[in-house]
Amino acid sequence: NNIDDEKYPAKTLVYFINSAKEQGLRAHEVAAHDEFQRRLVELYEIYDAQCQREGVVDFAELLLRSYELLCRNQALREHYQQRFSHILVDEFQDTNDLQYKWLQVLAGKRSAVFAVGDDDQSIYAFRGANVGNMSAFERDFSVKHLIKLEQNYRSHGNILDAANHLIENNSNRLGKNLR
């Protein structure tokens, strides 16, 4: 397919494709604003077609296919919404957009969802994590009870003071005061 390995290194392609899938986007849904982006989208399409021919999937593809299946198949979606009436999500700060959409579809209107996370500990942005999902969760799931775990049993006061001083600079944080 005449891929210029220097202009489009494998690492760049993997990042681009995974990023698109982690946002829940197929190649035809990705906006391409210039020739470089258009070529990346084209390579995403080629990659997807090759995976289809060989019957293989990557991890992001598993999540994307599951999401698409739940969206398309009402009977299956309702079955799992009824089966999982209570859902717990740990490390919620590290969820990506697709995982959040997946949770919304799986939970439906009736499931009780409990999420545990710390917006000041979001470290996986390189995996598509969107710490903004925490604020969206409060809004989208009409959170009635928010419990802040602020008491720390491992660190001394001077360490917690330094941590509080650093994390108060995090933009759009939900806020807490470690003690």
Side-chain angles (χ1 to χ4, degrees):
N1 288 321
N2 299 328
I3 300 172
D4 182 346
D5 290 342
E6 289 186 24
K7 190 171 183 180
Y8 303 97
K11 188 175 184 176
T12 299
L13 287 171
V14 168
Y15 178 81
F16 178 81
I17 292 168
N18 280 337
S19 178
K21 288 181 180 185
E22 288 165 351
Q23 294 174 59
L25 301 174
R26 292 288 177 196
H28 69 275
E29 298 170 313
V30 177
H33 304 291
D34 57 31
E35 186 56 38
F36 183 77
Q37 288 282 315
R38 279 188 285 282
R39 182 65 173 147
L40 287 174
V41 169
E42 180 183 317
L43 293 170
Y44 177 8
E45 289 173 335
I46 292 168
Y47 169 79
D48 195 43
Q50 183 69 30
C51 288
Q52 290 286 351
R53 279 192 298 279
E54 296 190 23
V56 296
V57 295
D58 54 41
F59 183 71
E61 182 69 21
L62 288 173
L63 290 176
L64 184 52
R65 284 188 186 189
S66 298
Y67 171 72
E68 290 170 341
L69 182 61
L70 287 171
C71 287
R72 279 194 314 262
N73 188 319
Q74 181 179 350
L76 184 68
R77 181 177 60 250
E78 289 175 354
H79 167 79
Y80 283 107
Q81 286 173 344
Q82 291 172 2
R83 181 167 182 200
F84 299 114
S85 59
H86 293 78
I87 300 171
L88 167 65
V89 182
D90 195 13
E91 301 295 345
F92 194 81
Q93 75 275 2
D94 295 326
T95 58
N96 63 39
D97 292 343
L98 178 58
Q99 291 166 332
Y100 186 68
K101 290 177 185 177
W102 202 85
L103 175 63
Q104 288 176 299
V105 170
L106 187 61
K109 301 285 186 214
R110 297 179 296 270
S111 294
V113 181
F114 187 89
V116 178
D118 184 349
D119 57 329
D120 292 318
Q121 292 188 35
S122 181
I123 59 171
Y124 290 110
F126 64 92
R127 291 187 186 160
N130 179 0
V131 72
N133 286 346
M134 293 186 75
S135 296
F137 179 80
E138 282 190 81
R139 180 190 64 244
D140 297 343
F141 285 88
S142 302
V143 171
K144 293 176 181 59
H145 303 288
L146 179 65
I147 302 168
K148 294 183 181 185
L149 303 177
E150 299 175 301
Q151 188 164 357
N152 183 297
Y153 295 95
R154 295 185 203 168
S155 302
H156 294 286
N158 58 341
I159 293 172
L160 295 176
D161 290 342
N164 282 326
H165 181 71
L166 288 173
I167 64 177
E168 72 186 11
N169 295 307
N170 291 351
S171 60
N172 300 320
R173 64 189 296 260
L174 299 175
K176 68 181 151 310
N177 187 34
L178 300 173
R179 60 185 192 285

